[in-house]
Amino acid sequence: SGSLDGGGFTIRNLSIDRSNDDIIGLFGSVNGASFKNVIIKHGLVRGRYETGGLVGRASNASINGCSFSGSVFGYHTVGGLVGKSDGSNIQDSWASGYVTGDGFCIGGLIGACTINGGTIRNSHAQSQVTGGANAGGLIGDAQNNVNIINCYAVTSTKGPYRIGGLV
């Protein structure tokens, strides 16, 4: 838990290369945390499972006014901003750039929203998304009562099957 307000500052040229590790992002795993106005530009994040530009795994978190631009690479459950979201609320946030994963659940903003749903509001992705399956412009895989409100994706989404422009 805890909170972080970026205060209008920008993190530039973030580079995290942990291709053999899971739950990777600027923050690996958070539970009940609050993020506000965290801006990352020209980032490069590499992980394996549950990889995101800001957070690898966000459980019951609040993410408001945050963004990531750059590239995120992983294998499974990879998102431009968040790899895996479980019961989190994401609002007024966005991701742009490239999101690539060879496995399942690859999304421009969030790789997968699982178990306890959550709400994604007033957020978007503007990315090239490439996945093995379950690839979506905004969310790779949305399960269990995920509320998606006033969101959009401007993406090129590629993969062999279960590909969606939004989810």
Side-chain angles (χ1 to χ4, degrees):
S1 65
S3 64
L4 173 66
D5 185 338
F9 292 97
T10 300
I11 299 168
R12 294 183 193 278
N13 303 314
L14 172 71
S15 181
I16 300 171
D17 190 352
R18 297 183 57 193
S19 301
N20 296 319
D21 295 325
D22 301 336
I23 313 174
I24 302 300
L26 178 59
F27 295 89
S29 180
V30 298
N31 189 345
S34 174
F35 297 94
K36 183 177 178 184
N37 302 319
V38 178
I39 301 165
I40 303 167
K41 290 187 177 180
H42 312 294
L44 172 61
V45 178
R46 293 180 191 272
R48 192 171 57 170
Y49 296 95
E50 298 183 28
T51 300
L54 178 64
V55 180
R57 179 190 295 162
S59 300
N60 304 307
S62 172
I63 298 172
N64 191 347
C66 296
S67 65
F68 177 90
S69 66
S71 299
V72 181
F73 300 96
Y75 179 72
H76 191 298
T77 315
V78 181
L81 191 67
V82 175
K84 179 180 179 181
S85 173
D86 177 16
S88 295
N89 294 310
I90 299 170
Q91 181 171 318
D92 299 320
S93 296
W94 58 271
S96 67
Y98 299 88
V99 181
T100 304
D102 294 329
F104 292 81
C105 305
I106 315 300
L109 187 69
I110 303 165
C113 293
T114 61
I115 304 174
N116 296 313
T119 300
I120 317 302
R121 182 187 307 269
N122 301 331
S123 297
H124 70 276
Q126 191 167 350
S127 306
Q128 280 193 324
V129 178
T130 304
N134 290 37
L138 188 71
I139 302 170
D141 189 13
Q143 308 169 8
N144 300 328
N145 302 316
V146 176
N147 297 303
I148 302 170
I149 303 164
N150 196 33
C151 295
Y152 67 93
V154 179
T155 63
S156 167
T157 305
K158 299 177 184 176
Y161 59 97
R162 292 194 299 242
I163 306 303
L166 192 66
V167 177

